[in-house]
Amino acid sequence: GKSKAFKAAALIQRWYRRYMARLEMRRRCTWSIFQSIEYAGQQDQVKLHDFFSYLVDHFTPRNHNERDFLNRMFTEERFAQDSEMEKSSDFESIEVPDSYTGPRLSFPLLPDQATALVEAFRLKQQLHARYVLNLLYETRKHLAQLPNINRVSTCYSEEITVCGDLHGQLDDLIFIFYKNGLPSPERAYVFNGDFVDRGKESVEILMVLFAFMLVYPKEFHLNRGNHEDHMVNLRYGFTKEVLHKYKTHGKKILRTLQDVFCWLPLATLVDEKVLVLHGGISDRTDLEFLAKLDRHKIVSTLRCKMRKESTKQEEEKKTANQPSSAQEPTPWFLPQSRSLPSTPFHLRPDKAHRAGRSCSIPCPGALDRQELSRHARRSVDLELERCRQQAGFPGIKESEEPSPLASGPDPESGELLEPTQEEWRQVVDILWSDPMAQEGCKANTVRGGGCYFGPDVTEQLLERYSLQLLIRSHECKPEGYEFCHNRKVLTIFSASNYYEVGSNRGAYVKLGPSLTPHIVQYQANKGTHLLTMRQRISRVEESALRALRKKLFAHSSDLLDEFKKHDADKTGIISLSDWAAAVESVLHLGLPWRMLRPQLVNSSTDNMLEYKTWLESLAKEQLSRENIQSSLLEKLYRNRSNLETIFRIIDSDHSGFISLDEFRQTWKLFSSHMNIDISDNCICDLARSIDFNKDGQIDINEFLEAFRLVEQSCSEGRDSACPQSTDTSDGGPSSPDPH
Amino acid sequence: AIVADFHKKIKDAFEVFDHESNNTVDVREIGTIIRSLGCCPTEGELHDLIAEVEEEEPTGFIRYEKFLPVMTKVLLERKYRPIPEDVLLRAFEVLDTAKHGFLTKEELIKYMTEEGEPFSQEEMEEMLSAAIDPESNSINYKEYITMMVIDEN
């Protein structure tokens, strides 16, 4: 028989392995929470912009009131038409005071100055607006000369380092330069998009990246990411950061940035063998087409005015080909979406994500296309009529059906500056797509844009263009990198601790002449490496659970309704199993609720739960000392990001003010489609209470400040270790705004 | 009703690792799934379970359809019960031949990597990082167990 020691050891090992397994499960669940909240936020974003885009394209103003209103809301400020004169005078007239102690730039830029910038930012200095604008001006000039697909060779600089998403986390960039070395003719770099948003130092990152690009144009390369997009920036914090740091010139900087972003190259090709781009590919990705299109026409991948006369041709082309990837989405908010086969954008995220092979994009050929478009037009009109009424515009009788496709190109509207549908789609695909393990290619419903592409799609592309590896970013990975598709696709993500301190490592990849990828990982943070895995997981988990509880609270009313459905006898009690089912059907996050249950629901007796008490405990955690009705607060919380985005869209000139009336009108339009039931009075009262000087104007920042105050006072009295929220709309996982 | 409950629990745990949403998980994750459902099998027992749920010709993936009935049976029969605290304590005491109340780092490493179902280097390092008191270079196993048990709950 086995010795006693043997048996004892075996028992300890057995126990320990179980303990570690449970830890691993917690870690996975935590990750799911963060990811699903992040992607749900992105989806929301897409929905919001789809809504506005649709209005822009189909809402024909009937009178000057409507026209003015729309113009205020939707002015896209394009500066491609502006004269060079206007551009240069943008910054030359800005005076830099003698008291300014930050870095001063002179052009053409020298390597020393770029290095000095890094050092200055490390010391928390801020670059003066004049130099920012000057740098952006030079950057744009340089970028405009670059091809859509940069070609790089390892025979000049022996090694090329590719970095992924940084998302405003300057610490990570500084760490990379420290560990890997500063850019130089011998040390080439490719930064693969998503430099901004979420982290608090997006401006500084851009300055450094642009500076090095100007100094080492042959060795330093940038690809555009889906966050290099002013529409996305409205929601994810970059716009906020700029306006906060540059109170006088922020608007100008933002406008200039729009132009810089759309001139960023779309991809980089290393030695004709390794393709580096931000998101991914689709089964329609055509590198030759991508190389030839006018990339600067695509100002935002979220909103796109397209050339109308080509649309019809594109439609015909579409039905001829296999419909598989990112099609122009059917507006999700139209009644028709419910009666017709569900569009990709109407599926619940968890269902779509998990539906696997059974989820297919409706083939337009399956239904009579004429009937479809006629039906669509009728619904559109009805909906627009409702829009008008909601917004307080007088109802107009329509004599004929306006056709969305009929209006010819307006030669005055800068038609030449609009991309075609195919151009737009190709770019969206490479900036938004994610790889999946299954074969095939289907719409990326979780993000709301681009595709999921399978190993066969990768294989096809690599073969077609004689490539050996696809390097992309776009997705956070626990180890900072991940291979998939038979090691033909490498995801590289360089923002460590992205979701929370300790949540993940960052990584970069080095390629030598052999093009064998060599990965370097890191975690730019003080002290987490001293914690045991157990402690690290606990911290991150706590943060994820806080975010999740906040989301649960935000849906309290819906949850209550759903719980009641499971409680026919009105006992006030439901089973935990029912709880899990109810929560999923309300939140649509696709999370393993039964695994999470112990952390979300306090000790329940014999698998049953008093749901009202539980909802109350959630509320107690979230409510502030302010005397705001809980249901209003709940709804506002849920729509906080959307509210802020709406504000920023209305305030198109970034003045920081919008009128009560504008706010009210826009809110009505928006809330009716999102089925949000807050009475007009409530919103007005809230807005009015913010309008301190009673002049009919709302100071955006004050309004948002009110939310921050509420949020802060909620978390006061809790662990002060991590007072920031992990809501995707915030500036990101770092210390709270010192407002 | 109990079976239905088990089914839902098993499904939830399974789905955490079903990355492609095609009702399969990597065989290397099965241990984690089974353990997180409350079971505490030995490595040997785990291998037997895997053999039961694997395909005729192992693909490296386990299908949900095969996993569910096997796992349900395990839960119904309450197999592989977790180890009570006092039993665990006694196991440590057996290894603590000198009855010191603690094990030195070297002793722990020796037992965990040479006896029973030996730890991998990774497993050993991870355990050491949390268990060993760096000042004394030993593990006070009673305190260790208490800490771990609290953390679990």
Side-chain angles (χ1 to χ4, degrees):
Chain A
K2 301 193 182 97
S3 70
K4 286 177 86 179
F6 184 95
K7 286 193 189 147
L11 193 125
I12 294 171
Q13 288 151 345
R14 191 175 115 208
W15 162 82
Y16 183 78
R17 282 175 173 132
R18 174 163 181 260
Y19 174 82
M20 291 307 288
R22 292 184 59 170
L23 209 56
E24 174 62 16
M25 181 59 97
R26 279 165 64 189
R27 196 191 63 75
R28 294 294 180 112
C29 289
T30 301
W31 192 262
S32 302
I33 294 175
F34 279 128
Q35 217 168 37
S36 62
I37 291 182
E38 173 182 16
Y39 293 162
Q42 286 189 341
Q43 259 199 37
D44 242 13
Q45 172 80 343
V46 173
K47 281 188 190 163
L48 184 60
H49 289 295
D50 277 351
F51 166 67
F52 282 125
S53 301
Y54 195 80
L55 275 188
V56 168
D57 290 342
H58 297 105
F59 198 107
T60 316
R62 294 301 158 117
N63 53 50
H64 75 93
N65 277 338
E66 289 188 0
R67 189 167 25 247
D68 285 348
F69 175 57
L70 272 185
N71 281 341
R72 286 302 305 272
M73 273 172 62
F74 300 126
T75 312
E76 268 215 53
E77 315 200 41
R78 303 239 26 197
F79 284 80
Q81 317 85 303
D82 282 354
S83 65
E84 285 301 304
M85 284 291 280
E86 223 250 27
K87 278 253 189 61
S88 54
S89 67
D90 267 0
F91 58 86
E92 265 164 26
S93 56
I94 302 177
E95 298 259 324
V96 181
D98 291 332
S99 54
Y100 171 72
T101 54
R104 291 170 188 258
L105 305 178
S106 61
F107 294 84
L109 216 49
L110 292 170
D112 280 352
Q113 293 181 298
T115 313
L117 261 186
V118 180
E119 189 53 27
F121 291 149
R122 201 177 62 80
L123 298 172
K124 306 293 178 210
Q125 290 176 353
Q126 183 169 307
L127 187 64
H128 194 276
R130 185 212 166 92
Y131 300 121
V132 173
L133 286 165
N134 202 349
L135 181 55
L136 290 179
Y137 172 64
E138 294 293 325
T139 301
R140 186 201 174 279
K141 258 198 328 195
H142 170 76
L143 289 176
Q145 301 169 320
L146 298 179
N148 294 347
I149 301 181
N150 268 321
R151 283 175 148 79
V152 178
S153 169
T154 52
C155 58
Y156 299 122
S157 45
E158 282 123 32
E159 248 181 2
I160 292 184
T161 304
V162 180
C163 302
D165 296 26
L166 284 170
H167 282 300
Q169 298 185 185
L170 185 64
D171 284 347
D172 286 308
L173 179 59
I174 290 180
F175 184 85
I176 294 173
F177 283 162
Y178 164 72
K179 181 141 172 115
N180 195 49
L182 287 169
S184 71
E186 294 78 41
R187 196 172 294 112
Y189 274 94
V190 178
F191 281 86
N192 201 12
D194 277 12
F195 320 124
V196 302
D197 277 333
R198 306 178 112 240
K200 301 271 183 197
E201 289 165 301
S202 301
V203 175
E204 285 70 34
I205 288 199
L206 283 186
M207 295 296 102
V208 170
L209 295 180
F210 292 156
F212 276 112
M213 184 178 65
L214 291 175
V215 164
Y216 297 118
K218 289 217 269 305
E219 294 83 17
F220 198 87
H221 309 277
L222 302 176
N223 290 338
R224 189 177 185 184
N226 61 310
H227 278 260
E228 275 67 61
D229 183 327
H230 70 284
M231 297 297 280
V232 178
N233 299 149
L234 285 173
R235 188 190 196 95
Y236 287 102
F238 181 49
T239 309
K240 202 193 298 192
E241 181 190 326
V242 172
L243 293 174
H244 173 62
K245 285 179 176 168
Y246 295 96
K247 298 199 159 49
T248 320
H249 297 104
K251 297 183 285 181
K252 209 181 266 185
I253 293 175
L254 286 172
R255 284 202 302 267
T256 314
L257 270 167
Q258 268 186 46
D259 221 11
V260 172
F261 282 164
C262 64
W263 271 113
L264 284 167
L266 301 172
T268 300
L269 192 55
V270 180
D271 287 350
E272 303 295 312
K273 287 266 154 243
V274 178
L275 182 62
V276 186
L277 41 80
H278 177 73
I281 54 176
S282 76
D283 55 358
R284 296 171 70 108
T285 295
D286 181 341
L287 292 183
E288 284 129 351
F289 183 84
L290 278 166
K292 286 201 287 255
L293 57 81
D294 281 328
R295 67 182 190 269
H296 77 289
K297 288 192 294 191
I298 296 156
V299 181
S300 165
T301 52
L302 280 188
R303 184 160 89 201
C304 181
K305 289 166 119 156
M306 285 179 263
R307 270 191 250 161
K308 298 253 162 80
E309 90 278 30
S310 331
T311 315
K312 250 209 173 129
Q313 292 160 344
E314 295 306 318
E315 293 284 2
E316 269 137 34
K317 236 204 269 177
K318 216 187 343 174
T319 47
N321 298 335
Q322 236 235 295
S324 55
S325 55
Q327 299 181 355
E328 167 86 288
T330 314
W332 52 270
F333 47 84
L334 293 186
Q336 65 171 86
S337 316
R338 289 188 261 284
S339 50
L340 294 175
S342 28
T343 67
F345 288 76
H346 206 66
L347 282 173
R348 286 173 17 175
D350 63 316
K351 251 200 169 145
H353 194 40
R354 293 171 181 287
R357 275 165 249 129
S358 54
C359 164
S360 58
I361 318 308
C363 171
L367 298 147
D368 183 74
R369 301 215 65 241
Q370 289 274 46
E371 188 51 47
L372 202 68
S373 56
R374 231 178 290 141
H375 188 108
R377 283 201 300 278
R378 246 179 281 132
S379 310
V380 166
D381 298 339
L382 283 171
E383 202 60 20
L384 288 177
E385 197 46 47
R386 208 154 76 80
C387 266
R388 286 198 171 87
Q389 281 165 7
Q390 288 276 359
F393 293 127
I396 309 266
K397 261 207 124 156
E398 308 219 14
S399 45
E400 59 185 32
E401 289 182 332
S403 165
L405 300 178
S407 45
D410 177 0
E412 308 284 300
S413 73
E415 167 236 314
L416 291 167
L417 293 173
E418 312 297 347
T420 63
Q421 186 160 357
E422 185 61 18
E423 286 172 339
W424 179 79
R425 185 197 338 221
Q426 288 274 343
V427 173
V428 168
D429 281 350
I430 62 172
L431 294 187
W432 285 82
S433 301
D434 292 313
M436 64 175 176
Q438 300 152 275
E439 309 228 313
C441 188
K442 57 185 190 185
N444 192 328
T445 48
V446 173
R447 292 197 192 260
C451 309
Y452 286 120
F453 61 100
D456 53 332
V457 178
T458 300
E459 191 55 46
Q460 200 183 67
L461 185 111
L462 294 182
E463 205 185 284
R464 184 165 162 202
Y465 297 105
S466 305
L467 306 170
Q468 70 188 46
L469 177 67
L470 175 66
I471 299 181
R472 44 89 63 178
S473 304
H474 197 41
E475 280 182 297
C476 183
K477 297 291 177 191
E479 292 299 312
Y481 76 99
E482 190 174 273
F483 279 101
C484 66
H485 293 190
N486 265 323
R487 291 185 79 90
K488 300 280 180 63
V489 174
L490 168 64
T491 301
I492 197 86
F493 193 86
S494 301
S496 66
N497 306 319
Y498 180 59
Y499 289 127
E500 177 54 80
V501 169
S503 67
N504 65 287
R505 294 157 116 171
Y508 54 86
V509 58
K510 297 164 76 86
L511 299 168
S514 68
L515 297 179
T516 312
H518 167 61
I519 315 262
V520 178
Q521 296 168 290
Y522 55 86
Q523 200 152 10
N525 183 259
K526 6 349 195 194
T528 38
H529 58 280
L530 294 174
L531 300 173
T532 62
M533 192 191 299
R534 177 179 68 88
Q535 289 166 315
R536 246 182 292 132
I537 290 179
S538 297
R539 283 183 66 162
V540 184
E541 187 183 39
E542 195 34 58
S543 174
L545 291 171
R546 234 197 322 270
L548 193 54
R549 281 197 290 266
K550 197 183 283 198
K551 255 215 178 291
L552 286 167
F553 164 70
H555 290 83
S556 296
S557 314
D558 288 341
L559 282 172
L560 185 61
D561 288 341
E562 198 62 29
F563 290 151
K564 283 189 176 151
K565 288 185 195 159
H566 288 270
D567 181 21
D569 297 334
K570 301 211 198 337
T571 58
I573 301 178
I574 55 172
S575 72
L576 289 176
S577 199
D578 287 338
W579 171 86
V583 173
E584 179 53 31
S585 81
V586 170
L587 287 203
H588 301 319
L589 286 175
L591 290 173
W593 294 105
R594 280 168 203 86
M595 307 294 317
L596 296 170
R597 200 268 313 150
Q599 332 270 41
L600 294 170
V601 178
N602 277 334
S603 52
S604 49
T605 44
D606 59 309
N607 282 343
M608 303 300 278
L609 169 69
E610 271 186 37
Y611 51 87
K612 281 210 185 107
T613 319
W614 179 70
L615 284 171
E616 275 162 25
S617 69
L618 271 184
K620 231 181 279 178
E621 206 188 312
Q622 304 291 338
L623 283 179
S624 73
R625 296 184 296 250
E626 313 281 329
N627 225 355
I628 306 181
Q629 294 173 49
S630 77
S631 64
L632 173 62
L633 180 62
E634 168 202 324
K635 289 197 175 84
L636 286 175
Y637 252 46
R638 198 187 330 183
N639 293 284
R640 211 174 121 247
S641 325
N642 285 332
L643 266 179
E644 181 173 344
T645 312
I646 289 176
F647 274 135
R648 297 206 185 276
I649 291 177
I650 301 175
D651 180 29
S652 50
D653 62 351
H654 300 302
S655 65
F657 289 99
I658 58 173
S659 79
L660 275 175
D661 222 37
E662 284 171 330
F663 171 51
R664 198 176 47 81
Q665 280 176 335
T666 312
W667 176 255
K668 272 165 125 172
L669 268 179
F670 173 70
S671 62
S672 70
H673 288 292
M674 297 291 270
N675 285 322
I676 301 165
D677 174 34
I678 303 184
S679 78
D680 196 30
N681 288 335
C682 275
I683 287 295
C684 279
D685 285 342
L686 192 62
R688 246 177 256 125
S689 70
I690 306 296
D691 176 18
F692 297 122
N693 58 3
K694 308 297 169 214
D695 65 348
Q697 298 251 65
I698 301 178
D699 180 319
I700 285 185
N701 295 318
E702 282 174 344
F703 190 95
L704 296 174
E705 190 59 38
F707 280 110
R708 258 190 291 278
L709 284 175
V710 165
E711 194 171 51
Q712 257 178 30
S713 58
C714 279
S715 30
E716 264 164 36
R718 312 187 82 250
D719 243 334
S720 55
C722 307
Q724 74 282 7
S725 80
T726 49
D727 189 353
T728 51
S729 64
D730 260 356
S734 34
S735 45
D737 276 312
H739 274 310
Chain B
I2 291 187
V3 171
D5 225 29
F6 281 165
H7 279 187
K8 288 194 201 138
K9 277 211 180 88
I10 296 170
K11 186 160 204 295
D12 253 9
F14 194 88
E15 278 182 354
V16 174
F17 292 91
D18 178 14
H19 304 299
E20 288 91 68
S21 317
N22 58 358
N23 289 327
T24 65
V25 302
D26 191 317
V27 65
R28 290 166 292 187
E29 320 259 43
I30 286 291
T32 309
I33 297 175
I34 293 176
R35 286 172 171 131
S36 67
L37 284 166
C39 302
C40 201
T42 64
E43 292 286 289
E45 287 164 339
L46 191 57
H47 285 135
D48 293 339
L49 271 173
I50 289 178
E52 264 189 79
V53 296
E54 247 175 353
E55 303 297 315
E56 301 261 311
E57 295 205 17
T59 58
F61 289 95
I62 305 296
R63 286 187 300 120
Y64 181 66
E65 297 79 40
K66 283 202 105 170
F67 183 71
L68 182 64
V70 173
M71 196 63 223
T72 310
K73 188 152 173 282
V74 164
L75 290 181
L76 280 170
E77 292 175 3
R78 298 171 64 81
K79 277 173 117 175
Y80 317 124
R81 298 272 78 211
I83 299 160
E85 220 179 298
D86 55 329
V87 173
L88 187 58
L89 182 58
R90 255 179 283 139
F92 273 103
E93 283 170 351
V94 163
L95 300 180
D96 180 15
T97 44
K99 303 296 163 223
H100 285 146
F102 63 83
L103 289 173
T104 67
K105 182 173 165 188
E106 289 70 33
E107 284 175 323
L108 186 65
I109 293 178
K110 182 169 84 95
Y111 285 124
M112 292 296 104
T113 58
E114 291 177 20
E115 303 279 358
E117 292 176 315
F119 274 170
S120 67
Q121 193 188 357
E122 229 181 276
E123 285 176 309
M124 193 67 251
E125 276 170 16
E126 183 51 47
M127 183 183 201
L128 288 174
S129 72
I132 296 291
D133 168 23
E135 282 182 26
S136 61
N137 234 17
S138 65
I139 163 177
N140 177 323
Y141 45 83
K142 201 147 192 266
E143 278 179 15
Y144 176 62
I145 293 172
T146 312
M147 175 183 80
M148 297 287 261
V149 165
I150 288 177
D151 181 55
E152 284 247 272
N153 305 331

